[in-house]
Amino acid sequence: MTENEEHFIIASGLVKIFQVADLEVVALQGLDIEIARGEMLALVGPSGSGKSTFLSALGGLDRPSAGKLEVDSQNLLKFNQAELTAYRRDQVGFVWQQTTRNLLPYLTARENIELLMTLAGRGLRERHEWASELLEAVGMQEYANQKPTQLSGGQQQRIAIACALANKPKILLADEPTGEVDWPTAQMILKLLHDLRDRYDLTIVLVTHDPRVAEQADRVIAIRDGRTSTETIRAEAQEASAESALVAAPTLREELVVLDSAGRLQLPGDQRTLAGIGKRAKIELVDGGILIRPSDDDRAERPETEPEDEQTSSSLYRSLYSADPLPTPERRNGKAKGRTWWRKSK
Ligand code: ADP
Ligand code: MG
């Protein structure tokens, strides 16, 4: 992998502040994400955590307030308005959850695709040929002359994906692309995204709140409060920990916490509670990694119940990443101290 492939998209310390009347809403508070060329990345996280804000910044629809955002060695924060418009038109394609936002209702499927190419100044012949290829690529040749209302939700999303690819972008951004379709249709759309990624060398970033959808991606990044919190990658079978091997997940995955540029990491709420870590922790360098242990103060006053917020995060992590049942009090005691090992990532 060349350096350019490894760091195709780099967000570092990305900040976005929305001014709403007298209030400032900090939607991104120093987000760090790196995406490799050709990767299919899923972004998950609670509503309001900044997923759409990041997608808009990445797509050149909105400007971040501060930080770094580079795509294919271009600094998006340095673009003037014309450059940003050209970037949005030529280098990225969007698919939204609401099919009505993707397609014009009074145009046929083919016309919807060709319109975007007309706006980008492509010639008649090129428009026709490329639209035909895209209709074939999304399996919708037979529906070229139908209008969106004559198509099912899944078919509309397939045309929407073809429209997103009209200008041959390098990046496909999809905000809840399967949010309004049933699971079999969602699976079909995901398969299509995988196929198109391979066929057109796309890098795909998709936002979803469905763990089944996230699982289909190469990597899952969880965002919390406008920051990257954890990352889940496909784990090599032989490297999996004994614990994760017990989890009957369809694909073996390993969840990693993400360190920001200052070396800060967020300990997942459930593991923190299981380890009895409160406000302070002891850090010890041990063979093979770092051991994080509760401080003596915390050991003394272990909370009996999890605070509200951690309960939420704990169930979120579980529902997203494992089939592991919620811990019973016995298990919790059994698993208490010394279980929080952070292995050095390769
Ligand atoms: P998500 O997509 O993860 O649900 P968003 O990126 O839409 O979250 O929103 C992140 C935060 O920024 C929220 O608090 C939201 O209310 C706020 N926000 C998003 N867009 C705007 C906007 N245009 N004006 C003001 N606040 C916004
Ligand atoms: Mg959103």
Side-chain angles (χ1 to χ4, degrees):
M1 217 184 246
T2 70
E3 191 173 352
N4 196 20
E5 278 169 339
E6 236 178 295
H7 304 294
F8 182 54
I9 296 171
I10 307 172
S12 165
L14 204 63
V15 174
K16 174 67 187 184
I17 299 170
F18 290 106
Q19 195 80 39
V20 185
D22 290 345
L23 281 178
E24 282 188 343
V25 179
V26 188
L28 300 178
Q29 13 192 342
L31 185 74
D32 298 310
I33 288 184
E34 285 176 5
I35 306 170
R37 191 191 294 271
E39 200 174 8
M40 182 156 162
L41 179 81
L43 290 179
V44 300
S47 173
S49 56
K51 305 180 300 291
S52 297
T53 303
F54 174 61
L55 225 54
S56 297
L58 195 51
L61 289 167
D62 205 357
R63 281 176 188 279
S65 311
K68 179 167 120 175
L69 184 56
E70 274 183 23
V71 175
D72 205 6
S73 309
Q74 309 158 94
N75 185 343
L76 265 57
L77 272 78
K78 293 244 167 79
F79 277 166
N80 63 31
Q81 210 48 48
E83 287 167 333
L84 200 61
T85 306
Y87 164 80
R88 189 163 63 220
R89 188 191 58 214
D90 302 329
Q91 299 188 44
V92 275
F94 287 94
V95 182
W96 307 102
Q97 175 176 359
Q98 306 90 345
T99 44
T100 44
R101 192 169 172 186
N102 293 312
L103 304 172
L104 289 172
Y106 48 87
L107 296 182
T108 65
R110 174 182 284 283
E111 287 165 348
N112 263 290
I113 301 170
E114 290 196 13
L115 173 69
L116 292 156
M117 292 153 77
T118 309
L119 296 176
R122 318 251 180 226
L124 183 73
R125 191 192 162 91
E126 185 189 352
R127 291 202 305 263
H128 191 81
E129 282 175 6
W130 184 236
S132 298
E133 157 148 7
L134 285 177
L135 284 163
E136 181 268 312
V138 300
M140 289 290 288
Q141 312 90 304
E142 289 155 40
Y143 301 88
N145 300 319
Q146 311 265 338
K147 292 194 174 145
T149 49
Q150 297 169 295
L151 304 171
S152 70
Q155 290 171 333
Q156 288 181 31
Q157 276 314 53
R158 282 200 264 172
I159 297 297
I161 292 167
C163 286
L165 300 179
N167 291 320
K168 308 186 178 173
K170 307 174 203 172
I171 305 170
L172 184 65
L173 303 176
D175 203 342
E176 295 279 2
T178 57
E180 291 184 354
V181 297
D182 58 20
W183 176 235
T185 309
Q187 281 177 299
M188 181 272 294
I189 290 172
L190 288 165
K191 162 126 192 4
L192 179 62
L193 290 176
H194 273 285
D195 292 349
L196 294 171
R197 187 257 305 258
D198 296 342
R199 184 163 170 172
Y200 299 121
D201 294 324
L202 296 167
T203 301
I204 300 181
V205 183
L206 73 92
V207 166
T208 181
H209 64 254
D210 188 338
R212 296 172 303 178
V213 172
E215 204 163 73
Q216 304 290 315
D218 301 325
R219 190 158 61 108
V220 185
I221 288 190
I223 298 186
R224 259 186 93 98
D225 303 328
R227 274 198 204 131
T228 316
S229 59
T230 60
E231 186 174 315
T232 307
I233 54 172
R234 283 178 205 278
E236 299 294 331
Q238 67 271 25
E239 296 219 21
S241 66
E243 191 176 1
S244 68
L246 293 173
V247 176
T251 333
L252 210 45
R253 288 187 167 254
E254 185 175 35
E255 185 177 345
L256 305 172
V257 281
V258 177
L259 277 74
D260 71 10
S261 35
R264 282 179 291 240
L265 55 76
Q266 202 176 46
L267 299 179
D270 55 351
Q271 302 196 3
R272 213 167 68 205
T273 314
L274 287 168
I277 294 174
K279 287 219 166 95
R280 291 184 187 80
K282 283 184 181 172
I283 291 187
E284 206 182 302
L285 203 57
V286 293
D287 192 24
I290 292 172
L291 178 63
I292 305 179
R293 259 202 255 260
S295 70
D296 298 335
D297 292 354
D298 282 331
R299 251 188 244 267
E301 42 177 300
R302 236 321 283 264
E304 278 307 307
T305 49
E306 291 179 22
E308 184 68 22
D309 181 48
E310 301 195 341
Q311 198 94 47
T312 321
S313 96
S314 132
S315 42
L316 176 78
Y317 285 117
R318 267 164 216 294
S319 64
L320 279 174
Y321 305 119
S322 75
D324 205 8
L326 282 166
T328 59
E330 303 80 62
R331 270 195 80 207
R332 183 176 297 181
N333 290 338
K335 285 180 86 176
K337 284 159 201 131
R339 290 303 314 261
T340 316
W341 285 81
W342 303 110
R343 284 199 281 138
K344 265 186 264 172
S345 173
K346 298 150 278 152

